[in-house]
Amino acid sequence: MSSEKQMQDSKIEEAGSDHSDHSSQIIDPEEERKLVRKIDARILPITCLLYLFAYLDRSNLGNARLQGLPKDTLDGDPTGHLFDWVNSIFFFSYILCQVPATIASKLFPPRQWICAMAIGWGLSSTLMSTAFNFGGLMTARIFLGIFESGFGPVIPLYFSLFYTRAEMGTRMAYWFGFAAVAGAFGGLIAFGVQHAKNTAIHNWRLLFIIEGGPAIIMAIVTIIFLPNRPESTSFFNERERVIALDRSNRGTSADSGARVTKGGVPCLPAVEILGILNVSLPNIAHILMAFSDWRCYAGGVIYFGLNCALASISAFLPTILSTFGFTNALAQLLTGKFPPYAVAAIMLVSFSMVSDRLQSRGIFMAVATSIAGIGYVLLIAAHSNVHARYFAVFCIVGGTYTTIGLTIAWFAHNLGSETKRATGIPIFMAIGQCGSVLGSHIFPLQEGPRYIKGFAISCALEFLAAIVSIVLSISYHRENARRDALYGKPHPEARVDTSELADKANDFRYVI
């Protein structure tokens, strides 16, 4: 091992062992605000663009279908069953790999892990352009799901290393808001590709190349510029590192240093791979705690309904727009689709900022999902009123996107420890992605344009999500009150030792 490597290891261990000292530091608020602006300027552009390209790569199959993919690779697929399998297989690999991938991400420096995932899904998407049969498409989509499963749930975990619970909601809103951007942006790209003339390859193949390549480019940007963990990144000077570590230990305690733990007790030295990577194995006890925590599954119920709504939006939005006389594809994109997604982005950021300020998630989630539920009621009841149906789209898109962002932010800090977050976040996300599979099958074309069954199911799931959000909020509030009565109220910015009990530690308090 080189002397430079030894010095880096020593710095990591020193940073990890001195957290209690950092927590006692007096931090100048202006210094901290300057550091947060620096973190935002480096982390948010990279992660948001990564999510934009990830969302484009998972959702471009529908546009490729309109450009001749079934005819070229699926023998025309007259029943549509083969295409449904190509579309759905992504969710199977994505769901199955989320938990192991997110836990495994703790074994590597964040920027190396995220870079590898971006290269993987970018290549998978690009290589779909080379598929000539059903098997080739299925293989590419399976690997697309595998690599994206190691990105989506990892970002909330990564953000929690740099942002406090009072900042997390807004940052997750910025990040997830790029899914709404992708909803309109992807259609514009597809429109341009569809009208490309005299190309050497079919337009749908060109679409996969154009939308897969940027992820690979962003992977290179990631490995160069994305900061690693606060205790080891060269992005901070020593004073900034002190502030960053103090922030990451407010109301909780961050996992730090190259240590292998079992049940919260250091038991083995760090594992070194090829003399390059310092890795610390996850806390096994905290993994088991996440699997036995009913709140993770309650979050999955919420996320299930939201993903069902997202998957179904594409089924009825074109039908509603067609009643406005939008026959030109570009007119549909700019006039029809863009306004609902723009309103969703504004609503997501607004709700998240107020939620951060009040440190309350559940009530805002219940309000947002209720707005989406009301949208479905309007679609069912006002089937002949085009303007009411278009207004309903704003309610559904805005309420659904807003709640997803708040849900991710809620669990990003309420699970107590980094290892429990690495397990609990993908647990509820994996359950939620099953809703995407349901949402893609409850809007058969023969039931359009009213889609009563699909709207009714989605409506019920949205209101169920509102109820579960309130139940979770009440349970967190009651648990906080119980601990206050038994142990007194801790200072909100005091360091809490969560290394053994995670969020069950006596001084840990939940965001309600």
Side-chain angles (χ1 to χ4, degrees):
M1 185 187 301
S2 66
S3 58
E4 180 181 350
K5 188 70 171 61
Q6 289 176 335
M7 290 176 62
Q8 183 181 7
D9 293 345
S10 175
K11 182 180 295 185
I12 294 174
E13 289 194 23
E14 181 181 354
S17 63
D18 289 343
H19 277 177
S20 59
D21 294 338
H22 293 319
S23 297
S24 63
Q25 295 277 345
I26 298 176
I27 305 299
D28 180 14
E30 182 56 36
E31 272 189 302
E32 183 172 351
R33 283 191 291 270
K34 183 178 179 181
L35 177 62
V36 172
R37 288 194 295 268
K38 179 178 179 179
I39 294 172
D40 285 343
R42 178 66 67 89
I43 289 179
L44 290 180
I46 296 174
T47 54
C48 288
L49 286 175
L50 282 169
Y51 192 59
L52 170 66
F53 296 130
Y55 203 86
L56 285 176
D57 288 338
R58 78 169 66 171
S59 60
N60 57 13
L61 198 62
N63 292 322
R65 185 183 195 179
L66 299 177
Q67 296 176 5
L69 180 146
K71 179 181 178 181
D72 293 338
T73 60
L74 303 176
D75 297 324
D77 191 24
T79 64
H81 293 322
L82 293 179
F83 182 85
D84 284 347
W85 272 108
V86 173
N87 183 48
S88 299
I89 197 63
F90 165 87
F91 295 108
F92 287 103
S93 58
Y94 189 80
I95 291 167
L96 290 173
C97 295
Q98 277 190 314
V99 174
T102 309
I103 295 174
S105 71
K106 280 176 55 62
L107 304 178
F108 301 91
R111 69 180 179 189
Q112 294 181 15
W113 177 268
I114 295 173
C115 169
M117 295 302 103
I119 290 174
W121 88 64
L123 284 175
S124 298
S125 180
T126 303
L127 290 175
M128 285 188 69
S129 65
T130 67
F132 288 90
N133 53 38
F134 175 71
L137 290 173
M138 289 284 283
T139 302
R141 289 285 290 182
I142 287 172
F143 279 97
L144 183 68
I146 291 172
F147 285 111
E148 286 208 22
S149 73
F151 170 71
V154 169
I155 292 301
L157 181 66
Y158 176 70
F159 276 17
S160 69
L161 301 176
F162 293 92
Y163 295 112
T164 66
R165 63 177 64 192
E167 300 163 347
M168 193 69 176
T170 305
R171 272 65 186 185
M172 291 309 307
Y174 293 150
W175 177 72
F176 187 72
F178 270 70
V181 174
F185 187 60
L188 288 173
I189 295 176
F191 177 82
V193 172
Q194 183 178 343
H195 289 78
K197 305 297 182 181
N198 302 320
T199 57
I201 58 177
H202 290 103
N203 285 353
W204 67 267
R205 298 185 189 275
L206 182 61
L207 177 68
F208 285 135
I209 295 172
I210 290 175
E211 293 191 351
I216 301 174
I217 296 173
M218 282 305 302
I220 299 173
V221 174
T222 297
I223 195 65
I224 297 174
F225 295 108
L226 192 69
N228 273 323
R229 301 176 60 91
E231 65 267 21
S232 59
T233 181
S234 59
F235 178 59
F236 295 143
N237 59 41
E238 289 310 308
R239 176 58 182 169
E240 291 171 337
R241 196 184 315 280
V242 168
I243 301 173
L245 290 173
D246 178 87
R247 286 164 45 81
S248 67
N249 284 278
R250 291 177 185 172
T252 183
S253 59
D255 295 358
S256 62
R259 288 287 184 270
V260 178
T261 62
K262 182 177 181 181
V265 180
C267 59
L268 290 171
V271 179
E272 188 175 319
I273 300 178
L274 301 179
I276 300 175
L277 302 177
N278 281 300
V279 304
S280 56
L281 297 183
N283 187 321
I284 305 301
H286 289 193
I287 293 175
L288 298 177
M289 288 172 66
F291 276 105
S292 62
D293 190 341
W294 68 271
R295 292 186 178 101
C296 292
Y297 300 98
V301 172
I302 297 171
Y303 214 61
F304 183 95
L306 302 175
N307 277 280
C308 180
L310 282 186
S312 64
I313 285 172
S314 60
F316 60 82
L317 185 54
T319 302
I320 295 173
L321 295 181
S322 66
T323 62
F324 272 75
F326 291 137
T327 55
N328 180 274
L330 185 60
Q332 284 202 42
L333 289 168
L334 295 181
T335 311
K337 288 185 178 180
F338 181 77
Y341 284 112
V343 170
I346 294 172
M347 182 175 171
L348 170 59
V349 173
S350 301
F351 269 57
S352 298
M353 291 178 70
V354 179
S355 172
D356 273 351
R357 182 176 295 274
L358 299 179
Q359 282 298 279
S360 175
R361 310 279 191 222
I363 299 302
F364 288 94
M365 289 166 54
V367 170
T369 48
S370 296
I371 291 173
I374 291 171
Y376 281 112
V377 171
L378 288 174
L379 287 177
I380 296 171
H383 61 88
S384 60
N385 189 324
V386 174
H387 298 286
R389 287 166 66 84
Y390 190 47
F391 173 74
V393 171
F394 283 80
C395 295
I396 294 168
V397 177
T400 301
Y401 273 95
T402 297
T403 311
I404 289 180
L406 289 172
T407 305
I408 298 173
W410 205 9
F411 281 86
H413 275 287
N414 270 6
L415 294 172
S417 74
E418 185 180 326
T419 299
K420 190 174 180 183
R421 289 194 295 271
T423 310
I425 290 174
I427 284 176
F428 83 76
M429 282 189 166
I431 296 172
Q433 286 300 333
C434 296
S436 300
V437 179
L438 174 64
S440 61
H441 288 90
I442 59 176
F443 288 86
L445 292 177
Q446 60 268 26
E447 295 187 8
R450 295 195 63 182
Y451 296 116
I452 293 178
K453 180 182 72 177
F455 290 155
I457 293 174
S458 300
C459 179
L461 289 173
E462 291 279 9
F463 283 117
L464 176 61
I467 294 171
V468 176
S469 297
I470 293 173
V471 170
L472 273 175
S473 184
I474 292 173
S475 74
Y476 284 135
H477 179 77
R478 293 183 65 180
E479 181 60 22
N480 284 349
R482 186 189 71 83
R483 294 182 189 179
D484 287 346
L486 289 175
Y487 312 109
K489 289 188 177 182
H491 191 281
E493 295 188 355
R495 182 178 187 271
V496 178
D497 184 5
T498 60
S499 60
E500 184 174 355
L501 298 176
D503 55 297
K504 303 300 183 184
N506 294 339
D507 289 338
F508 185 85
R509 298 296 182 269
Y510 297 104
V511 177
I512 62 173

